[in-house]
Amino acid sequence: MLLKVENLSKVYQLKDRRVEALKEVSFTAREGEILGIVGRSGSGKSTLLKILRGVETFDSGKVEIDGLEIMPDSDPETVQRQRLVTAIHLQRDFGLWTEPALNNVAKRVYSRKTGYETIPTEYDLEYEDVMSEAMEYLKLVGLEKKAKQLATILSGGEKQRLLIARQLAKKPKLLLLDEPATMACPATKQEVLDTIKNVNRKLGITTVVVSHLPEVHRYLADRMIWLDKGEIRDEGVPEEVLERFLSLLGEAAPLTPRPDAPPAIRVVGLYKRNYLVGTGEVLRIDDLNLDIRDGEITSLIGSSGAGKTTLLKIIQGIARPDEGSVLYKLGDSWVDMVEYSRERMEVRRNIGIMYQEFALSPRETVLEQIGYKLGVKGQDVIEHARKVAFDLDISDKVLDVIYTLTDMMEEEAKAVLEKLGLTTEVFEELFPRFPATEAKKYAEPVFKVLDLDLSILEKYPHQLSGGEKVRVSLALLMASNPKTLVLDEPFGDIDPITLRGVSNAIKRINAEFETTILLVSHHVDFVREISHRAVLIEDGGVLMDGDPDGVCDVFVSRCDASYLKRPPGTMAPLGKA
């Protein structure tokens, strides 16, 4: 056995509680085997991978990798040897040098000799051998034709494959993959999964894959382990383990029909060009027209780079098109989010936005965070902000810009504030948070719809489960009862059981509050289950618009995503079987 784990245990001691991350976990992996690990959020999967990599300690048990024994009290030299025979690829790791792809791999090759990443000069005797070996790794991941391209301008899938090539250049005995390409579109994910298979077949390297996605394990794994609350609950043939794991899925809540719904948002004659230095035009939107209907859940799907995120930012009023309008219904009037008007702030107040990197503030209770959100999006906040802005000699147009920043990512907002000569403290003056009593009053009906206990209001984020964190994030958006929710792929890396709960929560929000919901997702089963309507975006245009099942079928076919093709009789994790 190349990998042997015996009675592995790990406890985290937090301020208010003791968390048993792993409890006497034992398993093996044969040389050349792909071992899949599945489990709900918080089951101990990532902790296990970190221990196998040698970057996390453990309390008891033993790990053996290619004859090397690692114990809780192993000396630093043993742990360093462990790190030399293992390599890990993390789901959100895009740490690449701003140099050609070949150089990125060559630096990792040469680091085996030097201990740090550099490249020998062309006059060094090692130069040809280092560059030749680096090219072999690029060939293994199918990037030999991209060898001279800057790593930073590669596509998402190419970057993922380059990262795998860099890990292989370490010549590890054990390759650890944590959620490979989970957030990527099906076409990109297919590239990465095929690369993993190819590397395993040609090098015979033992690989451990952690993923929430059953379809990834079906495509890759020779054998599977199901981790549950830090313990191995099941082990064996992938399809059999997955069937038992997915039996925990709750029932899908019904989707409330919205027949003959009128438009709530109208995208009219949109034109947009995006350019990238060194590559020229990378996105072209020409005369795009789209209606988002009132009270419907509409999903935008499409491959990476198709224009979904750019379109979503324009609809949010965060990015500007080169031409065109984005009209929101406000009472009996239409307000254009592209052009300044006094009414535009009121439209924005009624929009709730959740990004991919959604995060709760670790230093504030849930109730405090709801108070802040209400201070920005609650009733009458705009009237108050205009009075304060007048006293601060801030014009209405500048106030409009500042209010736009409350819907942007923190770093982007800071950069714009600096250009205006302001700091984030201006938010506190213009939009003071609501008191706890008011915040609790607003939260109660939303918590009821989202099946959240009111005791959660007094908790900090670290005290919540993965599913609770997602539903609390939705509660923050819904506290001010916005007319529109915009969700930019925030649920791509949660397990299918938690995702079913999130799907049901979103459908309850839609049913109870008649909220118009616009979301972007690469998860086709999630789109099938949750949507009244799906829109396929390709090359900056609408390729298909209609029934989610039909649109998703066309999308999967165009992606040539064979990993999504389930064997006959297997269970669909979400959506319709």
Side-chain angles (χ1 to χ4, degrees), residues 515-571:
T515 311
T516 302
I517 300 175
L518 176 63
L519 66 93
V520 165
S521 180
H522 289 133
H523 196 318
V524 291
D525 286 320
F526 178 64
V527 169
R528 291 179 199 272
E529 178 171 315
I530 201 170
S531 313
H532 292 97
R533 170 184 171 215
V535 181
L536 176 54
I537 305 294
E538 189 170 291
D539 296 330
V542 175
L543 182 69
M544 191 175 178
D545 180 350
D547 174 68
D549 279 332
V551 174
C552 286
D553 286 344
V554 169
F555 177 44
V556 171
S557 176
R558 293 179 74 85
C559 288
D560 194 24
S562 54
Y563 79 94
L564 286 173
K565 297 171 184 174
R566 288 183 289 273
T570 59
M571 181 189 298

Side-chain angles (χ1 to χ4, degrees), residues 77-204:
E77 290 78 12
T78 300
V79 175
Q80 181 59 30
R81 287 170 60 198
Q82 178 187 6
R83 292 176 185 173
L84 289 174
V85 297
T86 60
I88 192 166
H89 176 44
L90 303 172
Q91 57 178 315
R92 297 180 188 274
D93 179 12
F94 282 94
L96 295 167
W97 295 93
T98 310
E99 293 187 37
L102 182 62
N103 288 16
N104 267 270
V105 181
K107 285 188 171 192
R108 186 57 67 90
V109 170
Y110 200 46
S111 71
R112 299 202 309 262
K113 177 179 179 180
T114 62
Y116 55 91
E117 295 202 13
T118 186
I119 296 177
T121 68
E122 294 182 23
Y123 306 104
D124 288 335
L125 295 175
E126 306 105 322
Y127 179 79
E128 289 297 332
D129 288 341
V130 168
M131 302 309 278
S132 177
E133 184 179 342
M135 182 59 82
E136 289 304 311
Y137 291 119
L138 284 183
K139 288 178 181 176
L140 264 176
V141 300
L143 287 179
E144 64 271 22
K145 293 180 180 178
K146 303 281 185 175
K148 294 183 180 180
Q149 281 199 14
L150 283 178
T152 48
I153 64 172
L154 296 174
S155 70
E158 288 166 349
K159 286 178 181 175
Q160 293 274 355
R161 286 187 280 153
L162 180 56
L163 285 162
I164 291 172
R166 279 174 48 80
Q167 300 303 340
L168 296 175
K170 293 178 60 181
K171 289 192 171 181
K173 298 288 186 178
L174 180 64
L175 180 61
L176 308 168
L177 304 173
D178 190 5
E179 299 290 352
T182 289
M183 299 297 289
C185 71
T188 298
K189 195 178 280 103
Q190 187 67 55
E191 288 180 30
V192 176
L193 298 182
D194 283 342
T195 296
I196 294 167
K197 270 191 157 184
N198 186 54
V199 165
N200 176 261
R201 185 176 66 251
K202 291 189 174 180
L203 297 184

Side-chain angles (χ1 to χ4, degrees), residues 15 66 75 83 93 99 135-136 186 226 231 267 301 309 319 326 374 380 446 469 490 543 555 559 574:
K15 287 182 180 179
D66 195 32
D75 55 58
R83 292 176 185 173
D93 179 12
E99 293 187 37
M135 182 59 82
E136 289 304 311
W226 170 11
E231 298 179 282
V267 179
I301 63 174
T309 297
V326 177
L374 287 169
D380 304 321
V446 177
K469 285 178 183 176
L543 182 69
F555 177 44
C559 288
L574 286 171

